[in-house]
Amino acid sequence: MTSTRAQTQPQTQPQTQPQARPEAARRSIGAAGPRLEAWEKVTGRAPYAVDHPVPGAAYAWVVQSTVARGVVVDVDTSRALAEDGVLGVLWHGNAPRLEPIGEPELMVLQSPRIAYRGQVVAVVVATSPEAARAGADLVRVREDGTKPDTVLRIDHPALYQPVQVNAGYPARSAIGDVDAGFAAAAVRIDATYRTPAEHHCAMEPHATTAFWERGCLVVFDGTQSSTAVHEALAGLFELPPQSVRVVNEHIGGGFGSKASPRANVVLAAMAARLVGRPVKLALTRQQLFAIAGYRTPTIQRIRLGATADGRLLAIGHEAVSQTSQLSEFVEQSAVLSRHMYAAPHRLTTHRVVALDVPTPVWMRAPGECPGAFALESAIDELAFAGNWDPVRLRIDNEPPVHPEEQIPFSSRHLVECLRDGAERFGWTDASGRVVRDPRPAVRRDGEWLVGTGVAASTYPALTWPSTALARATADQRFDVEVNAADIGTGARTVLRQIAADALDVPIHCVEITVGDSAIGPATVAGGSMGTASWGWAVTKACRLLRERIERDHGGHVPAGGVAVRADTTLEIRDRQEFARHAYGAQFCQVRVSTVTGEVRVDRLLGVFAAGRIVNPTTARSQLLGGMTMGLSGALLEQSVLDPRTGDFVTGDLAAYHVAVNADVPRIEVAWLDEHDPHLNPMGVKGIGEIGIVGTAAAVANAVHHATGVRVRELPIGLAEMITRSDA
C-alpha cells in the first residue's frame, strides 16, 4: 500500500490501477464530472416526495402536544370536521391499530401517552393544505401534563450505562489501569467539554405522498433508506412485502434525520387509508424541530497523561448524553478514542439518561463529530501544557495496530495527512520544520487577534450488504438498478461510473436507476457507506453480467437481453478482519475581535485519506460541505431547550443559525492517492462525514492560539472572547 500526494484541484486523469485493462484511458472511475441529475434540480424538474402528481390528492396537517410529559385526556374534532374541505381527523381514539415492530417512535397515535413536547396527537386531512391547517387550528386537545425532566446534567441521578451504543459498539472498554497511568504521567490534562443539541435543517422537509391501491401501499418518501421504510411499513400495517413500494427518487438532504423511518410516512399512510384517497404530508420547518430528531447534547470528560517526551500513557474518555422516554439512542462519542492514538492505559465509557425530550437520531458523523471536538481539543491542550507542537504530538502517538482490538489497519495514512496539510497550510516549511509560533495571543492585525489550529479526523469505512440488477439489451445498452438513495451527494453519478468500468463499456452506454424499493434491498445513505456498499453490489452484478454474455452467448447479447441480479451478503460477511477507517487533518486560521469578541474563520484546509476517489468533483463537494457544516457547528449551531416546557425555542431558521455565504471563508480540500485492497472491489472509503469530524476542534484550537482563551463548549460565543481577548 502506498500513499502519494494528490493535487488540491480535482484530478481528471486518474492513476492506473493494478487491474487496469488496456483501454485504461476510457476508465470512468476517477474522472471528474457533474452530477447526472443537476439539470433536473436547477430547473425545478426533479420531483421530491410531495411533488409527484397523484389524482385526487388530499393534504394532511399535524397537531402537536403542548406538554412534554402527560396524557391526552380528550380530543374534540367537531369544529375541525365542520370546516370546509376537511375530510377527516385522526387521533388515538380512531387511528388504525399498528403492529409493534420494535420502534416506539413509529407507533404514532396508538395511545394517549405524551413523551415529549411536540409529539403528534392528531392529524387533519383536507382537500387543500390551507384547509388542513385551518382544521388543525380548530382541533381541541385536552392534555393532563406534569412537570417534565428535560435537563442533561453530569450528576443526573437517573444516568445509567447501557450495554451498547449506536452502531453496536460496547458502551465501555478498558485496557490497563487508566487511573494509575494518569497518575504516573509527567504531563496531564483533565478537562470537560460540552456540545449542544443540534438539528439537521435539510432543505427538503420530511414529507410523504401515500396512497392505497387494491390493498397495496405506495409511498413517495423523502428518506435515506427506502428499504428500511419498506420493511417498517410492511410490519406496521401487516402487509406482505410485495404489497408495499417506497420511492425516493430525489431527496433534498437528510444528514441522518431521514436515515430511519419517521412519523410522517406512517401518518401519511394512515391518513390515506382513512379518507380513501392519496394524501400528501409535508412537515413545516417549525414542526421538524420536535418530530424529526436531532443530535444529542453531550458532556465529555477527557483525561490525557503523557511522558516528558510526549508519549501518551493514559487516555480516558467518559461521555454523557440523553435519550427519550420512548426509545434508547446512545451517541457513541467516546468510540473514536479507542483507536485514534496509542497508549497502554485506556478507558472509554458512555452513560445516558432518559429525559422528557424527543429521541435523538443520527446526525452527520454521529459520535465522531462531538467526540472529536473533545478529544482533539484535549490533545491540543496537552500539547500546550507540554510545550510540544500539536502536529508532532499526534504523529508521535500513531498506533501501529488498532490499540484495543489489536488487529491491523487496512490502511492508515493519518500521519501523511498531517504532514501534507502542515506544509500546505504553512505550519511547516518544505523541509518539515515547524515555522508556526506556538505562543498564544501574539499575532495581531488591528483590532483582530489571529491564530491557527489543527485537529485530526477519522470515520469508519463501513460496508453493508446490498443487491443490484444489471441488464444488457440487444442495442448494446446497459441498465443498472440499485436501491440507493441520492440525498444530494451524487450517488447515481458515481454508481454509473462504477458500473461502466465493471462492464468495460463507455459510460454513455449505461443507464442507472436508484431510489425504489421494488429494485431490491440496499443499505442506507448514511454512515458514509453508501458508495462502498451499493458500488460493491453494482460491480458484482455487472461483472457477472459480462461473464454470462461471454460464456453463454459468445460475447453477443441476444434479442431478449440478459439480466443478472447480485447480492453481496456473503462477500461482506466473509471478509478478513481489519480496522477500516478513513482519516484526515484539518487546519484553521481564525480572527477574534478585541472589540466585539466576534470570531471569524479566515481559512480552512482539509487533507484526507479516503481510499480511491470515484469522482473528484462530487468528492470535493462532499468534503467541502462537511467542513462547512463543522464550521457552522463550531460558531453558530445550538438548539436551545426551555427546561420548563421541553420546547426547543430555537425552532426555526431565524433562531437556529447555520452558516451562510458570509460565514464561510476560503476552504481548501485535498486528498491522498490511497490504495487499500482490503475494502471492496472499487477500493473506496466513505467521504460524506469525515469532513465535519475534526473541524470544530480545529476552530476552537485556533481560537486558543489567537487569544489564549481555551473554549471547551460549543458553539463558541462572544462573551468570553470580549472579557478575555485583551488579557
Side-chain angles (χ1 to χ4, degrees), residues 704-720:
H704 174 261
H705 187 232
T707 65
V709 177
R710 182 61 68 179
V711 178
R712 298 191 181 100
E713 183 170 357
L714 296 180
I716 300 170
L718 300 179
E720 191 172 26

Side-chain angles (χ1 to χ4, degrees), residues 482 495 498-499 529-540 680-682:
V482 59
L495 290 172
I498 290 169
M529 60 182 166
T531 299
S533 303
W534 306 321
W536 195 334
V538 165
T539 298
K540 182 179 179 181
N680 46 64
M682 307 82 63

Side-chain angles (χ1 to χ4, degrees), residues 15 87 144 335 406 412 455:
Q15 297 207 359
L87 303 173
D144 182 10
V335 166
Q406 293 300 304
R412 181 178 167 114

